Amino acid sequence: LASNLQRVLFAVSDKPTTYSITGILFSFNKKLDGNFEFVGTDAHRMGIATVKPNVSPTNSIAEDIQNTSSLSFVVPSKFLSNISSLILDSEVDMKISESFVKLDFSNLEVYGRLLINTFPDYSRIVPNTSCSLTVSKSEIIKSIERAMLFLSQTIRSIHIMATKNTMEVSCSNSQSGEANDSITLKDAVSVPFDLHFNADGLIEIFKHIDSEFIVIKYNESDVKAIVVEDATNKNYLYVMSIIAKR
């Protein structure tokens, strides 16, 4: 539980003006093979982690799951962050009421108030993609970090291009100059990739990937966001919006 929450907590909005997305959505749907999805977003990026719940008779949420086709509730991210050290991937008995969530550990009970709001339909945010590329996690993070040295405090945009076997990471700043870095892709791309991103948001997503390689999925045209996946673990993914070219 804890490791999957950490995969999405960083993506949650901390702005009071976006109250509806200041929590983690717990979503269950029997169409999802009986899995829970944890979803966090700040409207610019989104993380989704898929978890198989324990529906044994001793688990209090089991009855709700077995008797419904779908179930969803939003737990404040601050509450989850505060108790994350208690969870440590141990089994937790979860009980849900209309307004509260109760987490029952072996020797401790913790209560939190649910967010009563309408969480965005996250399934509509994940783009249907037709193209992909695979790149080394360590190499792309190092390239972005080098480019970020040239960014100003207010303009945080980087440019990423990929053609054939090469990815180019670049940025420019009228005061500090330009940065250009090249990375060799794992496999050649058939459709060129040419997009701008917020460097801080993108690198934070990459740092939450466990695998040595990152898979980036995108469309051939009219790209508004990309999908970022672990090359070996398909139980979580991220969506990152692009910055429109000026």
Side-chain angles (χ1 to χ4, degrees):
L1 179 62
S3 61
N4 283 291
L5 287 174
Q6 291 300 328
R7 294 190 196 283
V8 299
L9 270 171
F10 78 93
V12 176
S13 173
D14 59 359
K15 297 179 180 178
T17 53
T18 55
Y19 174 79
S20 64
I21 52 175
T22 56
I24 296 292
L25 174 70
F26 287 61
S27 178
F28 169 80
N29 192 315
K30 285 187 176 178
K31 294 180 180 179
L32 300 173
D33 298 323
N35 293 327
F36 257 111
E37 286 189 334
F38 300 161
V39 186
T41 182
D42 63 1
H44 300 289
R45 59 185 178 180
M46 179 172 66
I48 304 174
T50 304
V51 183
K52 187 72 175 179
N54 176 6
V55 293
S56 68
T58 59
N59 192 305
S60 300
I61 204 171
E63 185 176 349
D64 290 336
I65 290 176
Q66 292 171 342
N67 294 333
T68 186
S69 60
S70 63
L71 175 70
S72 64
F73 50 92
V74 182
V75 183
S77 59
K78 288 185 178 180
F79 170 77
L80 293 171
S81 296
N82 289 337
I83 67 166
S84 60
S85 60
L86 298 174
I87 301 173
L88 296 176
D89 280 334
S90 59
E91 188 170 306
V92 180
D93 185 16
M94 180 181 293
K95 296 180 181 179
I96 303 297
S97 70
E98 186 175 341
S99 302
F100 291 90
V101 58
K102 173 189 172 185
L103 300 179
D104 193 350
F105 302 90
S106 57
N107 58 354
L108 180 66
E109 294 181 352
V110 182
Y111 293 82
R113 183 180 292 274
L114 299 177
L115 291 180
I116 310 301
N117 56 56
T118 303
F119 198 88
D121 183 357
Y122 66 96
S123 63
R124 299 179 62 181
I125 299 173
V126 181
N128 293 317
T129 56
S130 57
C131 312
S132 68
L133 62 85
T134 304
V135 63
S136 164
K137 170 186 172 180
S138 60
E139 289 189 22
I140 193 169
I141 287 177
K142 289 177 182 177
S143 290
I144 294 174
E145 287 177 337
R146 285 192 285 266
M148 289 173 70
L149 296 174
F150 292 82
L151 297 178
S152 69
Q153 293 297 314
T154 55
I155 300 177
R156 308 295 295 169
S157 173
I158 58 169
H159 182 199
I160 299 180
M161 295 178 59
T163 55
K164 298 183 179 179
N165 292 89
T166 304
M167 174 178 281
E168 302 280 344
V169 178
S170 63
C171 70
S172 61
N173 185 317
S174 59
Q175 296 182 337
S176 56
E178 298 182 352
N180 292 279
D181 210 0
S182 296
I183 307 170
T184 300
L185 298 174
K186 185 179 180 182
D187 302 300
V189 295
S190 56
V191 177
F193 180 95
D194 186 355
L195 300 169
H196 292 75
F197 300 93
N198 176 274
D200 305 282
L202 188 63
I203 198 170
E204 195 168 15
I205 285 177
F206 290 161
K207 288 181 177 180
H208 279 81
I209 297 292
D210 293 334
S211 173
E212 179 184 355
F213 288 97
I214 293 171
V215 178
I216 298 175
K217 296 183 176 180
Y218 58 102
N219 285 316
E220 187 170 351
S221 61
D222 193 28
V223 181
K224 294 181 174 60
I226 61 168
V227 176
V228 179
E229 293 182 349
D230 187 309
T232 57
N233 184 352
K234 301 305 180 183
N235 289 327
Y236 65 103
L237 63 83
Y238 300 101
V239 177
M240 181 72 191
S241 60
I242 69 166
I243 296 176
K245 294 181 181 178
R246 295 181 178 180

